[in-house]
Amino acid sequence: MLSNSSKYAIKGVLYLALNSNADHKILVRDIYETVHVPEAYLAKLLQELSRHDIISSTRGPKGGFYLSENDRQHTLMEIVKVIDGEKRVNSCVMGIRNCNMDNPCVLHKLIGSNKSKFIKVLENTTILDLIEGKEDVEEFFPF
Amino acid sequence: MLSNSSKYAIKGVLYLALNSNADHKILVRDIYETVHVPEAYLAKLLQELSRHDIISSTRGPKGGFYLSENDRQHTLMEIVKVIDGEKRVNSCVMGIRNCNMDNPCVLHKLIGSNKSKFIKVLENTTILDLIEGKEDVEEFFPF
DNA sequence: AGATTAAAAGACATTTTTATCCTTTTTATG
DNA sequence: CATAAAAAGGATAAAAATGTCTTTTAATCT
C-alpha cells in the first residue's frame, strides 16, 4: 500500500519540517541517521521530491534541503504520489483493475471503507498538520 | 500491506470455495484464467497453502485442489500469514520496528485505528463468511 | 504391473524495489 | 576568479518479489 520508499520520504520530509526553513537548510548527511534511512537513498528521494516542488533545495555552500512555508501545505498524498506513482495508492486492495465502490470486488466490500479512510488521511493531512505542537524530534523517529 | 501473492492466493481460495469440495477437485489449469493469475504462479501459491493445511489437495488422476468443510473455517489472515509471513501484515504502516499503540509513530496516530480495523477484518473473516449467499462466480473476479 | 494423470518440489528467469557509488553541475564565498 | 560545498544525475549492484519451467512423487485406472 505504501512502499518503503514513500515511508522513507515521509520521514525525511517530517525531519525537514521540524528542523529546517529557508534560512536553515539541512544536509542529507545530517538527517539519515536520525530517520534511519540509508544516506544515498534518502538523497535520491529528497531530490525527487524537490524536482516535483514538494520540498525545496539549493545547491552549493550553505545549500541543502528545506521546507518553505508553502511546502508545508503539501499533503502526505502528494509525497506518496511522487514516490510511488498514482497507481499504487489508489489500486484496489485486491489489485483488481477498475474496482471501485460502484463495481466492488469481494474484499472491497469488507475492507473498502477502511482503505478509503486511509487514503483520505493521506489526502487531508498536510506536513504542517503532522507536526503541529510537536518539538521533540526523537519521538518522531523511533527505530 | 497485502502482497500481490496474498491477493492471488485469496482469489484462488475463493474460487475453490465457490466451486470445489472433497468430491469435486479442481485443477489450477481451470482456475487461473477466471481469477486472472498466472497459472504456474497460482499453482505455487496453492501448493504452499496446501502444505500449511489451509486448503486440501490430492495428487494423481481425479486429483486437484479443493476445500474441505474444515478448510472453509480458515480466516483470510491465515492465508496472508502463510504467503506473506507474520511480519508483513503486522508491520507498522511506517515500517517502524517496535511501533505499536503504546509507542506510536506519527502516522500511526493518524492511521493506526484504520489499520487495526483492516487487520481485524482479515482475522475475523472466514472463507465461508466471504462467499455466503453468493453463487455468481463472475462477480467475484472482475478484471 | 504399467501407463497416465496431476500435484509437489525445486531450479531457473525476469522484474521491481531498494540501495550504492561516482561524476557532473550549480552556487556561495573568500 | 578559484575553490569548496552541495544537490543532481547516471550507472550499477543487491535483494526481494514475481513468474516460468522441468523433474519428481503419488494416485488412479486399466
Side-chain angles (χ1 to χ4, degrees):
Chain A
M1 188 175 296
L2 280 193
S3 71
N4 271 327
S5 297
S6 274
K7 296 174 190 173
Y8 287 174
I10 291 175
K11 290 193 207 176
V13 172
L14 225 47
Y15 186 101
L16 292 178
L18 288 163
N19 298 285
S20 80
N21 59 54
D23 296 324
H24 186 245
K25 292 153 194 165
I26 298 207
L27 310 187
V28 173
R29 186 192 309 144
D30 299 325
I31 306 185
Y32 80 97
E33 282 175 326
T34 304
V35 300
H36 314 110
V37 177
E39 180 173 6
Y41 196 51
L42 180 58
K44 268 270 145 70
L45 295 170
L46 292 184
Q47 282 164 27
E48 189 77 9
L49 291 177
S50 178
R51 192 138 39 83
H52 285 83
D53 298 313
I54 305 288
I55 70 178
S56 305
S57 68
T58 61
R59 297 172 168 192
K62 299 281 169 188
F65 292 97
Y66 66 99
L67 293 195
S68 68
E69 290 311 308
N70 229 309
D71 292 338
R72 290 159 202 271
Q73 297 300 333
H74 289 293
T75 64
L76 296 180
M77 182 56 101
E78 287 175 89
I79 295 174
V80 171
K81 277 188 180 167
V82 165
I83 302 298
D84 285 348
E86 184 97 19
K87 235 175 51 189
R88 175 151 185 170
V89 225
N90 282 322
S91 72
C92 166
V93 207
M94 282 301 282
I96 289 170
R97 285 188 259 157
N98 309 323
C99 173
N100 53 48
M101 277 320 192
D102 298 328
N103 178 36
C105 67
V106 222
L107 275 199
H108 232 85
K109 287 173 191 161
L110 284 171
I111 290 165
S113 70
N114 290 313
K115 197 200 128 120
S116 309
K117 248 176 253 164
F118 176 77
I119 288 187
K120 282 200 191 92
V121 170
L122 292 182
E123 283 173 346
N124 296 333
T125 307
T126 67
I127 304 303
L128 207 52
D129 293 337
L130 262 193
I131 63 164
E132 69 184 3
K134 306 288 169 53
E135 269 122 54
D136 179 8
V137 184
E138 287 309 317
E139 115 171 64
F140 273 82
F141 309 104
F143 228 99
Chain B
M1 189 175 295
L2 280 193
S3 71
N4 272 328
S5 298
S6 273
K7 297 173 190 173
Y8 288 173
I10 292 175
K11 290 193 206 177
V13 172
L14 225 47
Y15 187 101
L16 292 178
L18 288 163
N19 297 286
S20 80
N21 59 53
D23 296 324
H24 186 245
K25 293 154 193 164
I26 297 206
L27 309 187
V28 173
R29 186 191 309 145
D30 299 325
I31 305 185
Y32 80 97
E33 282 175 326
T34 305
V35 299
H36 314 109
V37 177
E39 181 172 8
Y41 198 49
L42 180 58
K44 211 154 224 186
L45 296 169
L46 293 184
Q47 282 164 26
E48 188 77 10
L49 292 177
S50 177
R51 190 136 41 84
H52 285 82
D53 298 313
I54 305 288
I55 70 178
S56 306
S57 68
T58 60
R59 297 173 171 191
K62 299 280 169 190
F65 293 96
Y66 65 100
L67 295 194
S68 67
E69 289 312 308
N70 230 309
D71 293 337
R72 290 161 202 269
Q73 297 301 333
H74 288 294
T75 64
L76 297 181
M77 182 56 99
E78 288 176 89
I79 295 174
V80 171
K81 278 189 179 164
V82 165
I83 302 298
D84 284 348
E86 184 98 18
K87 233 176 52 189
R88 175 151 186 170
V89 227
N90 283 321
S91 73
C92 166
V93 207
M94 283 299 284
I96 289 172
R97 285 187 260 156
N98 307 324
C99 174
N100 53 48
M101 276 320 192
D102 299 327
N103 178 36
C105 68
V106 222
L107 276 199
H108 233 85
K109 289 174 190 159
L110 284 171
I111 290 166
S113 69
N114 290 312
K115 198 198 128 127
S116 310
K117 246 176 255 166
F118 176 76
I119 288 188
K120 282 201 191 91
V121 169
L122 292 182
E123 283 172 347
N124 295 333
T125 307
T126 66
I127 304 304
L128 206 51
D129 293 336
L130 262 194
I131 63 163
E132 68 183 4
K134 305 290 170 49
E135 269 122 54
D136 179 7
V137 183
E138 288 307 318
E139 113 172 65
F140 273 81
F141 309 105
F143 225 98

